[in-house]
Amino acid sequence: MLTSEILSGWLAWAQPLLAPWWTAWGVPVSYLEALAFVLSLWMVACNLRVNPLGWPLAIASSLLYGILFAQYGLYGEASLQWVFVVMAVWGWWQWLRGVDAQQQALKVRKLSPQGRLVSMGALVMLWPVLGGLLDHITDSTVPYWDALPTAGSLIGQWLLGRKWVDNWPCWLAVNVISMGLFAYKELWLTVILYGIFAVLSAVGWRQWLSLAAQGKARA
């Protein structure tokens, strides 16, 4: 069981960054949360433009959010950030060197209906597994709520790494659910960030659909 005592010892080195910088709606906002906020927005802006710079920014922001979420007992979200670091390295490589089934450089494209069913099936299987895991090995007060955006984010990150347009509706759903989760934990700056993410997910969805259509027309 992950206890607050063990967690506090593990995060002791990060305490200066977790110190309050200012207060929003009666809740302190740390230096770490503010920095993660800025890096995350920059990352999404790069993703919208299919710019590989988004991946190293994802690594940096994920490391910061991993610390922040663990501090607030959101262990699923915290663990997810460390997985994001690994997946960001993989995604960075995919965007720079990855190829599709025809051994051509990856381009923005849409999943087939079968691919969408596989993605939904993966979500249905991952959610209860992750929820049960968090329920049994952590002291999380919201294990299954925490697990839902965690599972969706893993799928969204894979779709993004392979340049599937469908990553954007996936992120849209994840961001809306996460807003409720972070509001429950009173992480108000992060709630605002995920609200912005939700809007940007809709923008990205539209923009990548256009890019996919242009690529198909050229082909």
Side-chain angles (χ1 to χ4, degrees):
M1 175 75 69
L2 293 175
T3 65
S4 57
E5 291 79 8
I6 294 174
L7 189 58
S8 296
W10 181 64
L11 295 176
W13 65 272
Q15 290 308 309
L17 283 175
L18 290 166
W21 186 12
W22 80 83
T23 300
W25 300 285
V27 179
V29 176
S30 66
Y31 295 95
L32 186 149
E33 187 176 2
L35 179 57
F37 180 97
V38 173
L39 292 178
S40 296
L41 284 178
W42 189 6
M43 171 198 71
V44 176
C46 289
N47 289 344
L48 286 170
R49 300 175 63 86
V50 202
N51 186 336
L53 177 61
W55 293 107
L57 292 171
I59 293 171
S61 61
S62 292
L63 288 172
L64 293 176
Y65 271 117
I67 296 169
L68 180 69
F69 293 153
Q71 181 78 0
Y72 279 81
L74 294 172
Y75 304 118
E77 291 289 337
S79 301
L80 177 64
Q81 302 310 309
W82 301 107
V83 175
F84 272 176
V85 170
V86 175
M87 294 190 73
V89 173
W90 168 80
W92 196 0
W93 173 259
Q94 289 293 314
W95 279 29
L96 294 176
R97 296 286 185 269
V99 295
D100 59 20
Q102 287 72 45
Q103 298 303 304
Q104 297 178 342
L106 288 179
K107 63 182 180 181
V108 174
R109 63 221 192 276
K110 294 193 294 183
L111 275 176
S112 66
Q114 182 180 6
R116 294 189 191 100
L117 285 175
V118 170
S119 298
M120 289 298 297
L123 176 64
V124 170
M125 290 187 291
L126 272 174
W127 180 16
V129 171
L130 292 175
L133 188 64
L134 291 174
D135 193 26
H136 284 85
I137 70 172
T138 77
D139 55 4
S140 173
T141 57
V142 285
Y144 287 93
W145 189 2
D146 193 1
L148 180 55
T150 300
S153 295
L154 290 173
I155 295 167
Q157 193 76 340
W158 180 81
L159 294 171
L160 176 64
R162 294 296 293 171
K163 292 189 177 179
W164 295 112
V165 171
D166 308 73
N167 84 88
W168 293 109
C170 181
W171 287 122
L172 178 58
V174 166
N175 292 329
V176 171
I177 295 168
S178 296
M179 287 174 66
L181 179 63
F182 300 140
Y184 178 75
K185 291 293 184 175
E186 298 187 333
L187 289 167
W188 298 115
L189 184 61
T190 303
V191 171
I192 293 172
L193 175 64
Y194 274 71
I196 296 171
F197 279 171
V199 174
L200 291 176
S201 295
V203 173
W205 192 0
R206 181 176 180 179
Q207 190 165 320
W208 276 38
L209 280 171
S210 178
L211 290 173
Q214 291 171 20
K216 187 175 181 179
R218 285 196 297 270

